[in-house]
Amino acid sequence: QVQLVESGGGLVQAGDSLRLSCVFSGGSTFNPYGPYGMGWFRQPPGKEREFVAAIRWRIDMTYYADSVKGRFTISRDNAKNTVFLQMNRLKPDDTAVYFCALVRGYTDYGLRPERAYDYWGQGIQVTVSS
C-alpha cells in the first residue's frame, strides 16, 4: 500500500518561507524509475481544493498554478522518495491545508487535475499571518 506523509507546515508571517516535504513509501509497485508524477494541492478555508504545483518524476518537468509561479518551487529527491515544495514570499492567501499526491503511471489527464492522482497524503496546515 502506498503511503504519503507530508511535513514542514506551520504558522509563519507574510513574506516568510517554508519548505514542505512529502515522503512516499510502498513504492515497490512502481517501475524502477519511480512514479509518473507527484503534485501539491491546497484547500484554503471554505474553498475547494486547488492545484499548486506538480513534477514529472522521471524527466523533472514542473508545472505551477499562476498564483504561485515565481514564488514556489517543486523538486524531488529520487533516492529519498521525497517531493518538496519550497514556498517563498508567502502571502495570507497561501493559507491552506496542503496535500501531496502521486500518479503511478502515465495519465492522459496531465498533472493538473485531481482525477489524475492515485494516492493522497492526509494534508498539512500552512498558515500565513499578515
Side-chain angles (χ1 to χ4, degrees):
Q1 180 69 24
V2 176
Q3 291 186 321
L4 286 72
V5 179
E6 302 103 335
S7 62
L11 171 64
V12 296
Q13 293 187 330
D16 286 351
S17 298
L18 271 179
R19 188 173 82 155
L20 303 183
S21 300
C22 174
V23 180
F24 68 88
S25 60
S28 60
T29 58
F30 303 146
N31 70 60
Y33 303 104
Y36 178 77
M38 292 193 72
W40 287 97
F41 290 76
R42 67 186 182 187
Q43 187 166 17
K47 297 184 179 180
E48 297 290 315
R49 190 158 58 184
E50 63 185 17
F51 170 78
V52 175
I55 186 166
R56 282 273 302 273
W57 195 263
R58 300 162 208 171
I59 64 174
D60 211 18
M61 185 174 290
T62 57
Y63 310 86
Y64 295 95
D66 288 344
S67 59
V68 306
K69 201 173 295 183
R71 299 188 298 123
F72 291 10
T73 303
I74 188 170
S75 62
R76 57 137 174 82
D77 184 329
N78 194 36
K80 296 182 179 180
N81 288 350
T82 302
V83 65
F84 304 100
L85 185 68
Q86 177 66 43
M87 305 185 293
N88 297 330
R89 303 198 308 277
L90 282 160
K91 306 174 182 179
D93 285 348
D94 295 318
T95 294
V97 177
Y98 284 71
F99 298 87
C100 70
L102 183 149
V103 181
R104 289 185 58 175
Y106 174 79
T107 171
D108 285 335
Y109 296 125
L111 292 178
R112 293 180 182 268
E114 289 187 37
R115 63 181 180 271
Y117 291 82
D118 301 299
Y119 302 99
W120 292 82
Q122 291 191 330
I124 192 164
Q125 180 70 44
V126 172
T127 303
V128 184
S129 64
S130 58

